[in-house]
Amino acid sequence: MPEATSGRRPYMVGNWKMHKTVAEAREFLQELLSSLGDAGDDVDVGVCPPYIALAATVEELDGTGVGVFAQNMSAARDGAETGEVSAPMLLELGVRGVVLGHSERRRDQCETDRSLCEKVPAALDAGLEPILCVGESEEERDEGEMERRLRHQIQEGLQQVPAERLAEVTIAYEPVWAIGTGRSASPEQAQEAIAFLRALLGDRSSEAAERVRILYGGSIKPDNAADILGQPDVDGALVGGASTDASDFAELVAAAAG
Ligand code: PEP
């Protein structure tokens, strides 16, 4: 990974989605920590367990430097929101940040750019690190609509974030057609889209565009990681399926360390 040239520290985050009970999470984390070795020294590493395993994951990872992220949160601090979880609740557990706008939530839970417009600043204001997911569908790509879609998602999601705080948000470029399909973007496609996202941020703040970390996500595995992670604008990955296997995820972290 080109930290020396970009100045941005590589970042690898594993999204477990709805996998692992508390007991499975504990077992997995022991295995992950022993597989990681010192690969994590040069890379920021995070994991995103389901809500019920957050507390156990924080406990298992205490003192390791590996961050714990939730997979969603409400924009409200509290209130009549059955089934929701707020930023103060996550902070109380020792969670570092939160993934927002994952395409599975956009598709299945009616997550909208409008709601993300509130969630991203709510996370920042509470002291959580947001990872904002954006990405085009296959149809949008085929119809030449990728840039329009990404622009819209970035503009809405970051609208209420002041320019001086933009670099505190991590962006994950996740083309919907590559998520869980086994069909990753090519290194060139990942670079092109991520460079476009960086340029969009540059319209708000050139300094933030240089500093913000933009991850690739979509069917990344040990055998395709090096080429994608080697692209100049790709600062790491948000990993789904392969992050639920401790040795695969450790291999991906090692690939990011270069
Ligand atoms: C994801 O869900 O964020 C993801 C990238 O999934 P996968 O790696 O399984 O495609």
Side-chain angles (χ1 to χ4, degrees), residues 107-126:
R107 183 192 65 205
D108 302 330
Q109 267 78 34
C110 305
E111 182 78 89
T112 62
D113 289 320
R114 267 286 102 206
S115 67
L116 293 165
C117 175
E118 293 179 9
K119 287 184 179 188
V120 177
L124 278 177
D125 288 347

Side-chain angles (χ1 to χ4, degrees), residues 156-238:
E156 290 264 313
L158 300 178
Q159 192 178 47
Q160 312 282 3
V161 177
E164 63 275 13
R165 297 204 71 182
L166 280 176
E168 295 172 50
V169 180
T170 296
I171 309 292
Y173 167 63
E174 300 208 305
V176 178
W177 46 271
I179 296 181
T181 59
R183 184 181 144 216
S184 75
S186 68
E188 295 73 24
Q189 286 172 323
Q191 167 59 25
E192 183 197 22
I194 289 178
F196 174 71
L197 290 169
R198 200 175 296 288
L200 283 179
L201 287 158
D203 292 341
R204 299 266 318 269
S205 159
S206 51
E207 199 227 325
E210 278 304 309
R211 284 177 46 218
V212 73
R213 289 188 290 188
I214 311 184
L215 316 182
Y216 167 77
S219 297
I220 199 155
K221 293 184 232 55
D223 63 4
N224 63 14
D227 288 345
I228 295 175
L229 296 174
Q231 299 299 309
D233 280 286
V234 179
D235 300 318
L238 181 57

Side-chain angles (χ1 to χ4, degrees), residues 100-109 133-135 174-176 179:
L100 294 171
H102 191 281
S103 66
E104 287 157 8
R105 294 201 59 81
R106 293 175 186 264
R107 183 192 65 205
D108 302 330
Q109 267 78 34
C133 301
V134 298
E174 300 208 305
V176 178
I179 296 181

